[in-house]
Every structure is written in structure tokens, then in C-alpha cells.
Amino acid sequence: MSKFVLIPGAGGAAWYWHRVVPELQDRGHDAVAVDLPGADECVGLPEYADAVVASIGNDDDVVLVAQSMGGFTAPMVCARVQVDLLVLVNAMIPLPGETAGQWWDNTGSTKARVAAAEAGGYTAEFDLATYFLHDVPDEVVAAGAAHERPEADVAFSQPCDIERWPDVATRVLAAAGDRFFPLEFQRRVTRDRLGIDIDQVPGGHLVALSRPVELVDRLIEYLP
């Protein structure tokens, strides 16, 4: 049995993983989604890492899974505690010392997003429905409204406090229909920064909400 520790993206709502946790548990694994104080301007990446480390505790066979902006917290956690596998899901992959605010320009994220929109025939102007919710079931979207919260600016100005990428087996899962971080953009950033290729899963940026079974299938495949 593995322990899956799940880090949400911007806003920090553990609810994001609510369709994944029971799926992992039904397959005989422990799973905990970490709730982060994303809207609190008084805390940021160090406190996020503290919360994840506390959720891991002294457990073994830990699989750390990070969504989107959670990619900035995950390597800081791996530098502090034993993690057997790190899985980045549609995630921002930071360089040591890079801030999330710098990441957008450093990777060319916006340019890639706009180019994909023009090629795909949908609006290049960002909105939640087009870029985050386009493949999420209506009933899940409705339930999620109560869990929406902003990400405080402070977290975008704090560096990913690592000296190098942690010596942890790392896999990158990219959703084929992600409009926010398009597939080829994720492939390029992953190769440039980690020297590995992506694996694909169906779905959009919020794949844990839209395609939880397929996501968990891939996570389980990574286990020895």
C-alpha cells in the first residue's frame, strides 16, 4: 500500500482532489489531499511545504502528486522528507530559486497558450469556463463554486527554495486537452528543465475533476 499525498494548485483547495481520493482508497491505498491557505497574504510557499510535510509525517512509500502551481511546493517538500515518487500533473516546473511570478515569462507560457487557442479555434482571452472548466461535468462545476478562492500574491513572489531538483524519481503527467498549459508546451518545459518526456492522460487542466479514473489509472501504473 502506498500513501498518496495530493497537493492542489492555486487557491490551495483540497476539494480539488475529492474525486481522486476515494478512487485511490478503493484500490487499497491511503490518500490525503492537503488543504493550503492559498488566499492568506501572510503565508506562502514555505508554509505550504510545512503543511505537506506534516501530512506525510513518518509514513513510508509516499507518492507526492502536485497539480499546476503545486509544482512549486512539491520539490521543496522532497528536499526535506523521504518521498518515493513525485508526480507532476499539468504542473509548473520551477528552476531552483525561480518564483512563480517569473515562471510565466521564463517559460513563454502565455505565448504558448495564445498560440494553442488560435490553432484550436477558442478564445485567447482567459476565462475560467474556456480554460479550466470546459471538460468538467456541470454538477462538479456547480459543487466547486463553494470551494473557489484566490491565490495570494505573496506566493507568486517567493522562490522555489531548492538548490537543485531533488533526487527523487519524477514523472510528469500532461492532460492532452489542457488549454491552460498546452500539451506541447508542457513537453518542451519538461524536457528543458527535467530532461525527461511527459506521459499523457485524457482531460483538461483540472483533470482530477474531469477524468479522475483515468488519472488514477496512470498513477497506479507508476507504482513498482
Side-chain angles (χ1 to χ4, degrees):
M1 180 183 77
S2 295
K3 178 174 182 177
F4 287 83
V5 178
L6 311 171
I7 307 175
W15 180 88
Y16 171 72
W17 297 105
H18 81 282
R19 303 187 76 193
V20 167
V21 168
E23 188 70 30
L24 287 167
Q25 292 172 337
D26 286 347
R27 301 188 194 201
H29 298 283
D30 188 13
V32 57
V34 185
D35 202 55
L36 302 176
D40 190 341
E41 285 286 2
C42 296
V43 300
L45 295 182
E47 289 79 15
Y48 298 176
D50 289 343
V52 178
V53 168
S55 294
I56 293 173
N58 296 319
D59 291 327
D60 298 321
D61 298 322
V62 173
V63 179
L64 189 62
V65 184
Q67 155 76 11
S68 197
M69 190 178 172
F72 266 77
T73 299
M76 293 173 59
V77 173
C78 292
R80 291 173 52 182
V81 296
Q82 176 65 39
V83 171
D84 293 276
L85 174 65
L86 170 60
V87 183
L88 303 171
V89 181
N90 295 332
M92 301 168 77
I93 302 174
L95 296 174
E98 187 176 44
T99 70
Q102 294 167 334
W103 184 89
W104 307 100
D105 287 339
N106 290 349
T107 60
S109 171
T110 301
K111 182 178 179 180
R113 178 179 64 78
V114 170
E118 292 173 347
Y122 51 89
T123 180
E125 184 176 350
F126 176 80
D127 65 74
L128 291 177
T130 300
Y131 285 93
F132 283 177
L133 305 176
H134 61 97
D135 67 330
V136 178
D138 291 343
E139 64 275 14
V140 178
V141 173
H147 301 274
E148 291 180 9
R149 59 196 188 207
E151 179 64 47
D153 290 340
V154 62
F156 290 99
S157 65
Q158 295 173 323
C160 181
D161 190 14
I162 56 173
E163 294 182 359
R164 61 186 180 278
W165 193 260
D167 186 19
V168 175
T170 303
R171 305 296 291 264
V172 176
L173 261 178
D178 191 340
R179 294 178 175 179
F180 193 55
F181 297 157
L183 188 68
E184 291 307 313
F185 166 75
Q186 292 198 54
R187 190 188 309 278
R188 171 176 60 80
V189 173
T190 300
R191 287 175 173 171
D192 289 349
R193 296 193 164 198
L194 298 180
I196 61 176
D197 203 355
I198 60 172
D199 297 319
Q200 293 186 44
V201 66
H205 190 66
L206 302 184
V207 62
L209 296 178
S210 63
R211 307 294 282 268
V213 174
E214 292 92 334
L215 175 56
V216 171
D217 284 344
R218 294 309 299 264
L219 294 176
I220 297 299
E221 288 176 6
Y222 291 149
L223 300 178

